[in-house]
Amino acid sequence: MNVMDSSQEISIAQNNLVMLQTKRMPVNKYNNGSPMTPKTTRLERLLRERELRKSSRNFQQSDEPRDSNKEAELLNDSRLVEGDIWALPKEEDFYDVNAFADGCQWQDGRPRRQRLLVVANRLPVSATRKGEDSWQLEMSVGGLVTALLGVKDFDARWIGWAGVNVPDDVGQRALTKALAEKRCIPVFLEEEIVHQYYNGYCNNILWPLFHYLSLPQEDRLATTRSFQSQFDAYKKANQMFADVVNQHYEEGDVVWCHDYHLMFLPKCLKEYNSKMKVGWFLHTPFPSSEIHRTLPSRSELLRSVIAADLVGFHTYDYARHFVSACTRILGLEGTPEGVEDQGKLTRVAAFPLGIDSERFVRAIDLHPVQEHMKVLKQRFAGRKVMLGVDRLDMIKGIPQKILAFEKFLEENPQWRDKVVLLQIAVPTRTDVPEYQKLTSQVHEIVGRINGRFGTLTAVPIHHLDRSLDFHALCALYAVTDVALVTSLRDGMNLVSYEFVACQASKKGVLILSEFAGAAQSLGAGAILVNPWNITDVAASIKYALDMPADEREKRHQHNFKHVTTHTSQEWAATFVSELNDTIVEAQLRTRQVPPSLPTNVTVDRYLKSNNRLLILGFNSTLTEPVDALGRNGQIKELEFKLHPDIKEPLKKLCDDPKTTIVVLSGCDRNVLDNNFGEYNMWLAAENGMFLRLTKGKWMTTMPENLHMDWVDSVKHVFEYFTERTPRSHIEVRETSLVWNYKYADIEFGRLQARDMLQHLWTGPISNASVDVIQGGRSVEVRAVGVTKGAAIDRILGEIVHYKGMKSPIDYVLCIGHFIAKDEDVYTFFEPELPSESPPAPRAMVANFVMPKTSASKSGSKAAHPRKQRSLSALEKKAANHGSGTAPEPILQDKTSLYEGSSVLDLKGDNYFSCAVGRKRSNARYLLGSSDDVVTLLEELAQCSSCS
């Protein structure tokens, strides 16, 4: 692509983005007045941004001559194993297009680079103090540094701990200034904090757990304090990181948090600024939920991580484990997109890590590397070279690798003088007893094998307890015939990528552990092994050494294509692009999220009104809070109990002659009787199908055409699944049946619910007039048309008639934790607002007018004794409810018109619909929990007392 073509393409892309940003969707008056984002799908946006990114890079390459001196300087930097330097590009050298969520800003026809704040435990430099105000900086090792080596698309800053204790202000100022030249920002941690946070909680608790090594026992914590003190230090350190990030944050920045050291950081950052773009990426495996749940602080860590907008992992397995942990431990909803908590979605995805492959490919042609290769070829002439490059760590499987090689030599004596294993083991944590023991163990095995199979002139294993510089490492990769990676549990393992990148001419074979994250990416081209099965690994070594040239070629080409296309630069660009678009998706969702209830306005309008109607839900609205996972006891939580602080304000409101209260619930009549019998209010049970004033008897509001002949067959199905789903139960109501699996294993419960729904639709309810409502952890079957919105019509008519209201209702407050099917009760009073389902029939209420005093005696239909229709079997059962006396009267649909003033005179702003504990709702406003409902009712009760 030439410069002109690239410029035109970017210009066209720029215009397209501007056009997108000018297209706005209509807004809802109450559900947020902000304009909607463009009408494009998530995939369309990501594909467009990917093309823009490619065009931008092509433009850069064609517009700027290649600086060979700069490349040589980068390639000649000394590197250590598994990650080495942070190649910090100059700000004027590169640019990026990743500003999509905020709208791209352009300079001189180019997209402006987006600022990226990389936050990790350690900075990519090691600092040594040379004087009171003088520091020497050297690039340090680290897998994350390797991964971000080739990332040049962003205006990046790195925030982290410099690895030294700097207690004095002079030293801190000098170090800060020196690091600024490297575009690094230090976090100064006290020595004791580092000891407890890093050595204690991170390395002794989280790291072993995430690698399936379980929690350490008390006798292994001789150098640390109690678990709680370590955890407190961990939180304190994370807060210190957040403080530094907040000091340097600018609007529009992307904050990218890394690894298990900073699991608390997303929550801390969001508490500073809820609009901050925060991503979190884990560079280790994430264990299954059964392993993670053993961690005492499991819930706090998970909740802190999901405060981020995007959570990334190396593989789908790790992402799946994380979602499962959030589902099983926190009781949240796991979706294909991530984790949903009350409408707030944290996107969870896999982003396989890569390397700066171009750096390795070019390095092979450098003179120092060629010299190293020449020496190695002479040294190992006539022998096949096998290579292992690892940190000397328990998870790397070095003993297993060496034992497998011994097994191979035992079974294949013809190869004993023709193969050599070069094992590079970089020392790590040399002060920890477990690592010292591992070192001794490896040395012992190597010595035994060399003594057994070695000769006076050659030994089968060359073991080095040190790292190699970049040139020597690349040369070693290039002359290797078989690379052997036998990790017992590894987040990714970039050694496999580096080996492939250096094998353009040799086309060696990669033997890769299936427990390394890289196996998910390179599995098709590598030989996958279980490192615990040394017989299998030994057989794989023989297969690799005997592999025909054409098969080696095909395997190498597959791996090489992946390594050179899935680079660290693409990894970072993809993550930030997804994070930007996650913000777009969140904006789309939050446009549908109602604002919090304006309590002051609600109370003020209540005080100024003359005839008020309060419609209140029951469960999760007026009840005391319960544990979402039922850990406090299922039996205890099945007994709905009023919130202990709500009784007094509720009684005051009920005694106010200007206020009418209706409790509208899906529960049966006994539950409402037990909880509200002492109050002067209206009770509407089973979604309004039964109604009574607490001083009167129950009446049914069921329509005449309501058929209940499906009940028995559905009940049999529910009983079947209850028997086979531990901790599930059936709620048998008079007009509906509910199968609840809230307390069952969440994933198993969902599978059972899916099977149940399939069976119901093909069998018992295939021809029945019923609605099947799937809740968060329940399946409900009820007759068609049974909703709270449909029932409120008849309920309102009965209340108006009973009270003989002479003034119109000028204030309505409707609060509840209702499922989507019953949210038509919110839209009942305001047909101008859109709703997901058709609005409930409103003809009767819309035409209601107040009866004059004389009308009730002049033959008005409502004033006459009600004519009872024949009862179905279910209604006869309901009629004998309680004392077994004569059946309750059945309310007639009020189709006649009354004379007089209108029933409702809300004047729009005197209506407050409010959802409790839900983010997506047709209600105008939100309240967080039943505690907030109590607070609101207390304020209203004070107004009632004053008036």
Side-chain angles (χ1 to χ4, degrees), residues 123 141 444 642 691 793 864 947:
L123 291 173
V141 299
E444 179 183 342
L642 277 178
L691 177 70
D793 189 353
H864 285 272
S947 60

Side-chain angles (χ1 to χ4, degrees), residues 27-40:
V27 300
N28 184 292
K29 178 179 179 183
Y30 297 99
N31 293 9
N32 199 314
S34 302
M36 296 287 281
T37 45
K39 292 181 179 179
T40 55

Side-chain angles (χ1 to χ4, degrees), residues 125-131 133-138 162-164 175 178:
V125 295
S126 295
T128 304
R129 194 162 190 171
K130 294 300 182 180
D133 59 352
S134 176
W135 291 86
Q136 179 182 342
L137 304 180
E138 293 182 1
V164 291
L175 181 57

Side-chain angles (χ1 to χ4, degrees), residues 593-597 913-915 918-921 924-928:
V593 175
S596 298
L597 180 70
S913 57
C914 188
R918 295 191 183 278
K919 294 293 185 183
R920 297 182 188 180
S921 174
R924 290 185 175 187
Y925 305 107
L926 293 180
L927 281 175

Side-chain angles (χ1 to χ4, degrees), residues 689-703:
M689 292 299 100
F690 298 98
L691 177 70
R692 85 172 177 104
L693 185 65
T694 48
K695 298 179 181 178
K697 294 183 178 180
W698 283 101
M699 299 170 285
T700 178
T701 68
M702 287 189 292

Side-chain angles (χ1 to χ4, degrees), residues 187-482:
V187 177
F188 294 105
L189 300 177
E190 301 172 3
E191 192 169 356
E192 180 62 21
I193 288 288
V194 171
H195 178 63
Q196 295 239 57
Y197 143 73
Y198 181 70
N199 297 326
Y201 195 76
C202 291
N203 288 340
N204 275 1
I205 303 295
L206 291 182
W207 190 91
L209 186 81
F210 282 15
H211 288 86
Y212 290 78
L213 299 178
S214 76
L215 291 174
Q217 302 300 319
E218 282 301 319
D219 58 357
R220 294 176 58 191
L221 299 178
T223 60
T224 62
R225 296 183 182 177
S226 66
F227 171 87
Q228 188 59 45
S229 66
Q230 294 179 38
F231 187 52
D232 291 341
Y234 180 84
K235 291 192 290 185
K236 182 177 180 180
N238 274 246
Q239 185 62 56
M240 294 172 72
F241 274 85
D243 294 341
V244 175
V245 172
N246 192 55
Q247 291 170 10
H248 293 85
Y249 174 80
E250 297 177 6
E251 186 176 354
D253 287 356
V254 169
V255 183
W256 194 358
C257 312
H258 288 272
D259 235 352
Y260 57 92
H261 311 88
L262 301 175
M263 295 182 74
F264 247 86
L265 187 55
K267 178 183 177 182
C268 297
L269 294 176
K270 286 292 188 177
E271 288 175 351
Y272 274 124
N273 183 352
S274 61
K275 296 183 179 180
M276 190 181 293
K277 297 178 184 178
V278 179
W280 182 80
F281 192 91
L282 183 66
H283 292 268
T284 69
F286 192 89
S288 70
S289 59
E290 289 303 306
I291 297 293
H292 185 76
R293 74 190 310 161
T294 63
L295 188 65
S297 54
R298 58 195 185 183
S299 299
E300 289 182 82
L301 289 177
L302 290 176
R303 287 213 173 269
S304 299
V305 169
I306 63 173
D309 300 292
L310 177 63
V311 175
F313 299 91
H314 286 308
T315 71
Y316 171 71
D317 284 346
Y318 306 157
R320 177 170 53 85
H321 289 163
F322 178 80
V323 173
S324 177
C326 291
T327 301
R328 292 173 174 272
I329 297 172
L330 300 182
L332 302 180
E333 187 73 19
T335 71
E337 293 294 312
V339 179
E340 188 168 1
D341 182 11
Q342 298 297 326
K344 192 266 185 185
L345 178 68
T346 298
R347 181 157 158 68
V348 179
F351 301 91
L353 193 58
I355 61 171
D356 184 10
S357 57
E358 207 171 316
R359 185 168 186 257
F360 285 87
V361 172
R362 292 179 182 175
I364 301 300
D365 297 327
L366 294 177
H367 178 72
V369 177
Q370 289 291 328
E371 288 297 315
H372 278 292
M373 290 174 60
K374 183 178 179 180
V375 173
L376 289 171
K377 288 178 180 178
Q378 292 174 351
R379 175 70 179 82
F380 300 112
R383 305 174 75 183
K384 294 285 187 179
V385 177
M386 297 182 59
L387 176 66
V389 180
D390 306 277
R391 284 184 293 107
L392 192 55
D393 203 317
M394 279 90 70
I395 66 165
K396 295 299 183 178
I398 296 177
Q400 286 80 1
K401 178 190 305 184
I402 299 173
L403 290 174
F405 183 64
E406 180 185 30
K407 182 75 171 177
F408 164 74
L409 294 177
E410 287 176 353
E411 297 178 347
N412 301 277
Q414 73 276 15
W415 277 103
R416 291 177 184 174
D417 298 327
K418 298 179 181 179
V419 65
V420 60
L421 172 62
L422 308 181
Q423 177 62 54
I424 312 299
V426 182
T428 179
R429 302 187 70 186
T430 54
D431 57 334
V432 178
E434 285 84 354
Y435 286 77
Q436 295 170 353
K437 181 179 179 181
L438 175 65
T439 303
S440 300
Q441 183 184 39
V442 170
H443 288 174
E444 179 183 342
I445 299 174
V446 170
R448 177 173 56 80
I449 296 174
N450 282 340
R452 180 181 177 188
F453 297 105
T455 65
L456 292 175
T457 57
V459 292
I461 301 177
H462 288 246
H463 181 86
L464 277 71
D465 279 329
R466 65 181 181 85
S467 59
L468 297 180
D469 65 45
F470 178 61
H471 297 147
L473 185 62
C474 288
L476 197 53
Y477 282 143
V479 302
T480 296
D481 295 281
V482 178

Side-chain angles (χ1 to χ4, degrees), residues 50-211:
R50 182 173 179 268
E51 292 304 313
L52 286 174
R53 195 161 59 240
K54 285 185 176 180
S55 299
S56 171
R57 288 173 185 160
N58 290 335
F59 183 88
Q60 170 202 345
Q61 293 171 2
S62 59
D63 189 42
E64 297 180 5
R66 176 171 291 178
D67 187 345
S68 57
N69 292 329
K70 183 189 297 183
E71 290 178 0
E73 181 182 347
L74 277 176
L75 290 169
N76 282 316
D77 279 325
S78 294
R79 287 192 47 150
L80 299 182
V81 173
E82 285 201 42
D84 307 356
I85 67 169
W86 166 246
L88 294 170
K90 293 182 180 179
E91 190 162 342
E92 64 270 19
D93 288 343
F94 309 101
Y95 55 91
D96 181 45
V97 297
N98 289 325
F100 185 84
D102 294 332
C104 291
Q105 299 182 23
W106 301 72
Q107 296 175 352
D108 301 326
R110 297 180 180 184
R112 176 185 63 81
R113 291 196 308 155
Q114 187 173 23
R115 271 186 31 128
L116 176 64
L117 301 182
V118 177
V119 192
N121 174 62
R122 284 294 300 272
L123 291 173
V125 295
S126 295
T128 304
R129 194 162 190 171
K130 294 300 182 180
E132 185 179 4
D133 59 352
S134 176
W135 291 86
Q136 179 182 342
L137 304 180
E138 293 182 1
M139 289 297 178
S140 59
V141 299
L144 179 58
V145 185
T146 301
L148 295 176
L149 174 66
V151 177
K152 309 174 181 73
D153 282 351
F154 308 100
D155 179 11
R157 302 287 187 277
W158 195 305
I159 298 175
W161 175 51
V164 291
N165 181 32
V166 190
D168 59 299
D169 293 338
V170 175
Q172 291 186 5
R173 286 194 298 269
L175 181 57
T176 301
K177 183 178 179 181
L179 288 171
E181 296 178 3
K182 303 289 186 182
R183 302 170 74 193
C184 294
I185 302 167
V187 177
F188 294 105
L189 300 177
E190 301 172 3
E191 192 169 356
E192 180 62 21
I193 288 288
V194 171
H195 178 63
Q196 295 239 57
Y197 143 73
Y198 181 70
N199 297 326
Y201 195 76
C202 291
N203 288 340
N204 275 1
I205 303 295
L206 291 182
W207 190 91
L209 186 81
F210 282 15
H211 288 86

Side-chain angles (χ1 to χ4, degrees), residues 576-587:
V576 178
S577 175
E578 292 266 4
L579 177 56
N580 280 323
D581 198 77
T582 297
I583 302 299
V584 174
E585 288 287 306
Q587 290 171 349

